[in-house]
Amino acid sequence: MIAACGQRVALIGIGSHVPERVMSNDEIATMVETSDEWIAQRTGIRERRIAAASDSSATLGAEAARRALESAGIDAGELDLIVTATASPDYYFPATASLIGQRIGAGEVAGYDLSAACTGFIYALAQAYSQIAAGLAETVLVVGTEVFSRLLDWSDRSTCILFGDGAGAVVLRRDDDRHGLRGFELGADGSGALLLSVAAAGHAADHDEGPFVRMNGPEVYKFATRVVVDSSLRSLEAAGLGVEDVDVFVPHQANRRIIDHAARRLGLDHARVFSNVDRYGNTSAGSIPICLDEAWRQGRIGPGDIVLMVGFGGGLAWGSCVMEWTKERP
Ligand code: ACO
């Protein structure tokens, strides 16, 4: 799916939240046979955050949402819809979006969850854009939130080193003048579905996999390096822009080597790439909005900047979005 955004939809608020608890590579090395050196060299990850027992996707997501609303200067009651991207929801139902809506005091706002793993935030942005463009909503909260620490087999060193917990949120609103969201490209290839999976209660009963992340790392790596570049170029083309127009590149934070490879292939110099994978690891649907929030608060993104975002992961799905930044500086 490739689309240019014909309607004007602006980003008016942004926020994120990560748990306080830091887990270093050295700490993981006390649980499985690995080392800080191996993890840092192969992934760029140094540490990640782990949710407290009392936290959940809904509580982390609600805190990120509160910050996004505060930065937008609007009340939760002004929202028409909450779309939550998560692969680690509190419940199959109720939707995490309902729980977040209740926590932020959004009243009787519509809300649902969207499952597209690490591409979830980009898919959710596309959903929010579509709902606004179609006239169903005017102001939409998009939340990407995960507690992947609860989906990990902590005795599997090939996966437990990669992930962390955290949430990010944005507020989008129909705008008369500003053209924030500019273009999307979304895709999925189910032939690689079981290269990266977490079994849920509805899967075939004679095929017990356990409710943990299972991944064929090298195959996912090959897939990721290909789609990050291809999808980025397609959404830029949809937006009528080129790589030279990109001010900030915000890829999904799975592995520093994937990010560096994509930047090199796209011809994006280091200064235009935002990454925090060293501090948070892979927070799945949380990773892109957490990056956007940090980049904005650090002054790395400002009004008028062209931001290229790209996600990839379980599905195997991918998606990219080109946005002109519409939020004033903090
Ligand atoms: N510490 C030490 N050694 C390890 C570790 C570890 N944590 N993990 C694996 N190894 C060993 C393996 O056992 C293997 O040993 P062997 O050669 O004796 O068999 C060796 O290291 C190489 O293993 P590979 O899996 O080939 O290592 P690779 O260089 O591919 O790195 C990694 C593994 C980091 C997982 C990489 O494949 C990767 O990043 N893949 C993409 C992951 C990704 O992007 N996932 C997206 C998820 S998004 C979502 O939707 C959830």
Side-chain angles (χ1 to χ4, degrees):
M1 243 165 82
I2 306 180
C5 300
Q7 303 295 316
R8 291 182 168 82
V9 174
L11 184 151
I12 63 162
I14 180 148
S16 66
H17 177 64
V18 293
E20 265 177 40
R21 160 92 160 94
V22 176
M23 184 183 280
S24 68
N25 289 345
D26 283 336
E27 187 178 343
I28 293 191
T30 65
M31 299 185 257
V32 289
E33 204 182 324
T34 189
S35 65
D36 174 50
E37 192 193 357
W38 193 96
I39 300 171
Q41 214 171 59
R42 302 281 180 124
T43 70
I45 300 167
R46 290 278 181 191
E47 59 189 38
R48 70 286 295 140
R49 300 300 180 97
I50 304 294
S54 56
D55 267 326
S56 69
S57 282
T59 66
L60 299 183
E63 189 49 39
R66 250 183 236 117
R67 295 176 187 188
L69 290 169
E70 189 183 305
S71 85
I74 68 165
D75 200 73
E78 293 177 56
L79 296 171
D80 300 308
L81 172 67
I82 301 173
V83 184
T84 299
T86 183
S88 48
D90 289 33
Y91 298 93
Y92 289 117
F93 60 87
T96 313
S98 293
L99 302 174
I100 291 174
Q102 184 267 327
R103 284 184 165 269
I104 61 176
E108 296 181 352
V109 66
Y112 57 87
D113 291 359
L114 184 155
S115 164
C118 300
T119 322
F121 181 73
I122 300 289
Y123 270 64
L125 273 185
Q127 276 283 307
Y129 169 78
S130 311
Q131 303 272 16
I132 295 170
L136 280 160
E138 190 160 316
T139 309
V140 181
L141 173 69
V142 176
V143 185
T145 184
E146 306 280 13
V147 283
F148 256 56
S149 61
R150 308 224 174 103
L151 297 180
L152 297 173
D153 173 353
W154 286 97
S155 66
D156 175 8
R157 68 177 182 175
S158 67
T159 52
C160 74
I161 60 163
L162 298 172
F163 298 93
D165 303 334
V170 298
V171 182
L172 301 176
R173 180 172 265 183
R174 189 166 58 77
D175 201 284
D176 291 333
D177 310 310
R178 297 173 306 167
H179 209 128
L181 295 169
R182 299 280 290 269
F184 283 97
E185 196 264 340
L186 307 176
D189 176 3
S191 69
L194 294 185
L195 293 174
L196 178 53
S197 63
V198 181
H203 82 297
D206 65 356
H207 188 63
D208 187 17
E209 293 176 31
F212 302 117
V213 173
R214 302 274 172 234
M215 181 176 74
N216 179 328
E219 285 304 316
V220 173
Y221 189 94
K222 276 188 249 165
F223 152 78
T225 47
R226 178 172 53 81
V227 296
V228 169
V229 175
D230 292 353
S231 183
S232 294
L233 293 174
R234 289 192 194 121
S235 58
L236 279 169
E237 191 182 339
L241 297 169
V243 173
E244 63 285 0
D245 299 306
V246 174
D247 295 296
V248 189
F249 178 49
V250 182
H252 169 49
Q253 307 288 301
N255 183 323
R256 185 71 217 192
R257 282 159 63 212
I258 295 174
I259 296 169
D260 289 344
H261 177 274
R264 237 184 355 261
R265 288 274 313 280
L266 287 166
L268 285 161
D269 53 272
H270 193 65
R272 288 192 284 168
V273 180
F274 191 88
S275 174
N276 57 19
V277 72
D278 56 330
R279 289 179 292 123
Y280 302 136
N282 180 347
T283 56
S284 189
S287 93
I288 293 175
I290 293 171
C291 279
L292 289 178
D293 186 44
E294 287 201 342
W296 174 66
R297 289 178 200 272
Q298 291 169 15
R300 291 273 304 271
I301 302 180
D305 282 349
I306 296 296
V307 181
L308 169 63
M309 298 164 267
V310 57
F312 58 85
L316 295 173
W318 64 88
S320 59
C321 172
V322 177
M323 178 198 289
E324 182 174 330
W325 195 258
T326 46
K327 176 94 192 114
E328 65 279 6
R329 291 190 185 278

